[in-house]
Amino acid sequence: MDKLLNQGNRKYFITIVILLFSFIFFIFLNNSNVCSNKNSNHIDVNHSSIEVETVKDVSWYISIPKINLNRAEIKESVTSDVLIEFIGHFDDTDIYNGNVCLAAHNRGNKVNYFERLKELEIGDEIKYNCQYGNRVYEVESKSIINVYDFSCLERVDNKNVITLITCVENDPNKRLCIRGVERRIE
């Protein structure tokens, strides 16, 4: 045995053992991904791949019939990570009673929920649904504001309103601001 494990052979033996353990570890790690990958939409059963339908409970959304916006999902925050896929809710504004303030892209992105927002006119309906209930708002005002004007996010006395904000095409210093006032609870 001493002859087999002389200095030259010992390095060779250790290298083989390390490679063998690495190979076994790689196989174990690769097979364990089926159970640990939380974002997977596939289930590996007997080495066959089965598609699993992703079911989402979308309970926070808006719909605007005039512009064919139907059940567009809302997420907390107006960061670029949120707005790339959802309508964003301004963190420090109300969710149900008060001033619900939302923002979304209108062009040049993966989703552009507010693409047709500029088509809204006074009197058009905005339907809003959240965990606390459903409201229907009527567009009360439409204005262009400065990009740094955050006064539209403030509460409005004795009114439940919704404020929708998006960019103005070809003017990075301006925003389109649509304000709707509550008409009914559904």
Side-chain angles (χ1 to χ4, degrees), residues 25-121:
F25 179 74
F26 176 76
I27 289 173
F28 172 77
L29 185 65
N30 210 21
N31 287 335
S32 69
N33 281 344
V34 172
C35 296
S36 66
N37 190 353
K38 295 177 184 174
N39 295 326
S40 177
N41 287 334
H42 294 83
I43 297 175
D44 192 9
V45 180
N46 298 327
H47 304 290
S48 64
S49 185
I50 300 172
E51 280 290 324
V52 176
E53 183 179 339
T54 303
V55 179
K56 295 191 325 186
D57 175 26
V58 180
S59 60
W60 195 13
Y61 61 88
I62 67 168
S63 297
I64 307 174
K66 180 175 182 175
I67 62 173
N68 296 320
L69 183 65
N70 298 309
R71 295 177 62 102
E73 189 175 1
I74 301 167
K75 291 286 185 189
E76 191 65 51
S77 180
V78 291
T79 62
S80 58
D81 290 345
V82 170
L83 295 180
I84 201 158
E85 292 186 59
F86 307 98
I87 293 175
H89 174 258
F90 285 89
D91 295 331
D92 294 330
T93 68
D94 302 301
I95 291 179
Y96 189 66
N97 292 317
N99 186 7
V100 177
C101 300
L102 307 173
H105 289 302
N106 63 25
R107 63 189 172 89
N109 291 282
K110 179 180 171 183
V111 292
N112 301 297
Y113 288 116
F114 287 176
E115 182 176 27
R116 296 181 55 203
L117 198 65
K118 63 186 171 192
E119 296 174 30
L120 291 183
E121 298 170 349

